[in-house]
Amino acid sequence: MTRSIRSINPAADGVFFVEGPASNWVVLVGDGRSALIDAGYPADLPLVEDSLRDVAGDVPLEAIVVTHGHSDHIGSANALVASHPGVRVFAGADELPNVRREVLHQVGVPDLVPQLLKPRFVSWAVHAVRAGGLGDVGVQQVEAVPASMTIAGHRIRAVTTPGHTPGHTLYELPDAHAVALGDSLVTGHAVSRREGLQTLHPMFHHDAVAAESAGATLARTYSGWTLMPGHGAIRKAGI
Ligand SMILES: [Zn+2]
């Protein structure tokens, strides 16, 4: 699997969807500041920094808002906090223990054993480990995200969508008619044979039944919106 950014795709004014090597993040730019939604794997740190420089120059990073506490979404948050003074980190209130790693709701080796004869799962696991997926990525200073707030000049609304993890949260950007879906709904994944809107393989979910039903509801709710998933390509409104 490649270790570079696959694409940076503008979703709206000041909203940039970054398709990373294996997971995605969103850069928001406005009012002389920048913000991130999700932050890739630990090994994605240079790519996250590159994407910030590319689209936001050297304006200060104001906030990192995370959809959930998995290593491929919060991986570079600690390093970013260290190198960008004053940056705040937010997650859904029910996700805080997972982001702090007081608990761990994440796929582990025992979940993988039944899949080990499938090449896609093996190469996904190799990439996940190489990208630092087993490292300690807990973010202690994470705060509960308010239901709505403005970061880097963009209004965002937090919507709790439990299933993938207990406190998984997606973020609507109502002015851009775009939504950062995290892993509640994706358009592709390394272990999936198909592209197009889908939920992740059940082994990745904390509660697979809840995740499936949330995914079906979200696909209806956001039909007509620009979809920015945690994995897979952006799906722009009207395309
Ligand atoms: Zn993910």
Side-chain angles (χ1 to χ4, degrees):
M1 211 176 286
T2 140
R3 276 245 57 87
S4 55
I5 288 174
R6 290 165 189 262
S7 67
I8 299 183
N9 212 317
D13 254 11
V15 180
F16 299 89
F17 175 79
V18 184
E19 199 179 341
S23 62
N24 306 328
W25 58 91
V26 176
V27 181
L28 304 177
V29 193
D31 282 355
R33 293 187 289 274
S34 64
L36 280 167
I37 302 176
D38 283 346
Y41 273 107
D44 292 336
L45 174 65
L47 306 180
V48 175
E49 294 274 24
D50 280 355
S51 67
L52 281 169
R53 256 191 311 275
D54 266 16
V55 303
D58 52 8
V59 300
L61 178 66
E62 176 181 19
I64 305 168
V65 183
V66 300
T67 56
H68 62 294
H70 286 167
S71 309
D72 51 335
H73 298 262
I74 63 169
S76 68
N78 272 331
L80 290 165
V81 166
S83 57
H84 296 264
V87 64
R88 293 172 73 182
V89 183
F90 296 95
D94 292 338
E95 192 68 4
L96 298 180
N98 197 20
V99 176
R100 294 192 183 115
R101 284 295 183 272
E102 293 159 1
V103 296
L104 179 60
H105 294 290
Q106 176 151 325
V107 63
V109 175
D111 307 295
L112 254 179
V113 171
Q115 315 297 344
L116 283 182
L117 292 177
K118 302 177 186 167
R120 283 170 177 270
F121 284 78
V122 174
S123 62
W124 169 82
V126 168
H127 179 273
V129 170
R130 285 202 183 134
L134 298 178
D136 179 12
V137 294
V139 182
Q140 299 311 313
Q141 65 274 58
V142 63
E143 306 170 52
V145 69
S148 70
M149 67 175 172
T150 298
I151 48 169
H154 295 268
R155 254 184 339 127
I156 68 165
R157 285 199 297 248
V159 179
T160 311
T161 51
H164 182 61
T165 59
H168 186 285
T169 301
L170 61 76
Y171 300 99
E172 296 177 353
L173 294 154
D175 303 317
H177 208 51
V179 56
L181 291 161
D183 285 0
S184 58
L185 205 51
V186 300
T187 61
H189 188 274
V191 305
S192 171
R193 286 174 197 279
R194 61 191 186 88
E195 292 184 358
L197 267 192
Q198 57 193 285
T199 48
L200 287 170
H201 186 279
M203 89 173 177
F204 293 111
H205 298 311
H206 169 68
D207 179 340
V209 174
E212 278 297 327
S213 90
T217 306
L218 295 170
R220 288 192 297 273
T221 303
Y222 295 113
S223 101
W225 288 56
T226 290
L227 307 180
M228 303 186 290
H231 302 272
I234 189 170
R235 212 172 87 169
K236 290 196 182 179
I239 295 177

